[in-house]
Amino acid sequence: SLTGTNGRTMTVESGENATIPTEIFENTKEEYGSLKITKQVKYNGQAITDNRMDGDYTFTIQSGTGVVPATTKTIIVHITNGVAVSGKIDGVDTDLDANKYLVVGNLPAGPYTVTETVPAGQNLTGTNGRAMTVTSDTTELSVLVEIITAACV
């Protein structure tokens, strides 16, 4: 983006004591990156292929101090027969990539926290509220978040 006015007209006068006008143009580039979210479910510690853990799993991505603009995203990953099959980002249907990851792009660079809303009757294996840093990318730099939810009988 350009800070200042582009296409500004300047007048230069001749003479010994003429003041030469000066204009400063500053170009800035904001850095953006992406996160990849995946969801795995287990039942009594074992991967499943049936519908016991089917449903929507909700995550919140929240930017930390210094991220401009401040960013919050709500992510939903839908599980069918133990596998992520679809997702939503802020209510918009979003395709998963070939490896069943939901790619959340166009995030301003900086620190973020990813938190899962754990469904009633389930336990989270691992740390909830994971801190990570999004960095700028020229192709796509992604951070993988794997959160495994386990239900026990």
Side-chain angles (χ1 to χ4, degrees):
S1 66
L2 177 67
T3 303
T5 304
N6 204 8
R8 183 173 272 178
T9 303
M10 299 170 61
T11 304
V12 178
E13 300 175 3
S14 63
E16 277 182 39
N17 297 323
T19 302
I20 300 173
T22 304
E23 188 67 35
I24 298 173
F25 290 89
E26 178 183 290
N27 289 2
T28 60
K29 179 183 178 192
E30 280 125 29
E31 298 180 353
Y32 289 87
S34 57
L35 294 175
K36 277 181 153 180
I37 304 289
T38 188
K39 177 65 184 165
Q40 296 179 354
V41 293
K42 292 186 176 183
Y43 193 85
N44 287 333
Q46 301 296 316
I48 61 170
T49 57
D50 60 29
N51 66 358
R52 287 178 282 180
M53 303 284 289
D54 283 4
D56 291 333
Y57 293 84
T58 303
F59 300 85
T60 302
I61 299 174
Q62 178 66 52
S63 62
T65 304
V67 175
V68 178
T71 302
T72 302
K73 299 280 184 186
T74 300
I75 309 304
I76 296 175
V77 177
H78 183 77
I79 300 289
T80 299
N81 295 326
V83 178
V85 294
S86 62
K88 291 185 178 191
I89 300 173
D90 290 336
V92 177
D93 289 334
T94 305
D95 291 332
L96 304 180
D97 72 7
N99 295 313
K100 304 296 183 189
Y101 298 118
L102 186 64
V103 179
V104 184
N106 204 31
L107 293 171
Y112 285 82
T113 302
V114 178
T115 306
E116 181 178 2
T117 303
V118 182
Q122 297 183 12
N123 299 308
L124 191 61
T125 302
T127 304
N128 204 0
R130 292 209 182 161
M132 55 195 53
T133 301
V134 172
T135 58
S136 66
D137 53 28
T138 50
T139 56
E140 182 176 286
L141 175 67
S142 298
V143 179
L144 175 63
V145 177
E146 291 185 300
I147 299 178
I148 301 171
T149 303
C152 298
V153 289

